[in-house]
Amino acid sequence: MKPGKIVVLGTGGTIAGIASNRYDTSRYEAAQHGIDHLLSGLPVQELTELEIISEQVAQIDSKDMDHQVWRQLLVRCHHWLSQPDVAGLVITHGTDTIEETAYFLHRTLAARVPVVLTCAMRPANALLADGPQNLVDSLVLASQPQVKGVMVLCAGTLHSALDVQKAHAWRLDAFSSGDAGPLGHLVHGRLRQARAWPEPDALINEVARQALSEPMQWPRVEIVTSHAGANGALVDALMASPSTEPVRGLVVAGTGGGTVHQALLSALQRAQAQGIRVIYTSRSCRGMPTSSLRDQRVVYGLSPAKARIALMLELLCNFDPVAE
Ligand code: ASP
């Protein structure tokens, strides 16, 4: 009997994509091969003693990721992580929203074992596809007992769910962890750890677990961007529009250190006066201002897309860690 299991959950993406031209891989259909097919060509017996189990959770281009798939993924991750013989999870995913899914899972799973999201920049049938190496590296990583937490592995670099961001449209090493730097690297099949594994967020874990038992009522949170020539028309329209799904929160993608165009700010203040939760982030994401320049309103270190997830979870759980 083998000592444990690694569960590989497939969700689609370029890693499962097919191009009509194996050399020019700029045009292809994402999410064509099932997860079993992606695993079938890999020398898994040589990589790990652990048993590999696979499950297809979704089959989508991750640009189309939605809350229903997130819920399904969360349910399956909870299921597998509650089995004592599961040593780690690997999730195959498209690169476009992998950072959002990773952050969502980081905030909703108490991952005491590795949960490794991986991807590819070239489709599965490319002449030199990068997916198989990323998948092999992820299996190796997921089998290491000292690794824990939700992370993204691409091109041998390991990023935390908090810091990872897609930073390039076509390079194989497309992700960056900014100033925080990567968690580590997989070099010739060996892990070189650079910093501590991320700690799970226990409070959100607890409330999110409760939400698992019911259909999740995702609160509507929109992102508005401050830019030259910005005004409040979009925010006013969101407030005015009769909708079965009223806006409950707004994330502002501000400029620089989180500053906002005066014309947009007035509209945001009107929205806040109507009970809408507004949180401020920066379009720049990178670079924490020094303490004297920090604005107390601004959530530093989270991209607008991740801050949107944070605010949705807070509203979902009636929990308000951003409040003073
Ligand atoms: N559009 C693809 C996706 O996110 C891109 C990729 O996987 O690289 O599914």
Side-chain angles (χ1 to χ4, degrees), residues 9 55 57 71-81:
L9 304 174
E55 187 175 296
V57 175
R71 180 175 186 275
Q72 182 61 14
L73 193 55
L74 180 60
V75 168
R76 297 314 297 157
C77 287
H78 265 282
H79 167 80
W80 287 114
L81 291 177

Side-chain angles (χ1 to χ4, degrees), residues 12-15 28 30 60-63 93-97 120-121 166:
T14 295
I15 192 169
Y28 62 92
I60 58 169
D61 185 320
S62 83
K63 73 179 176 55
H93 199 290
T95 58
D96 287 344
T97 56
M121 292 297 287
K166 188 170 179 181

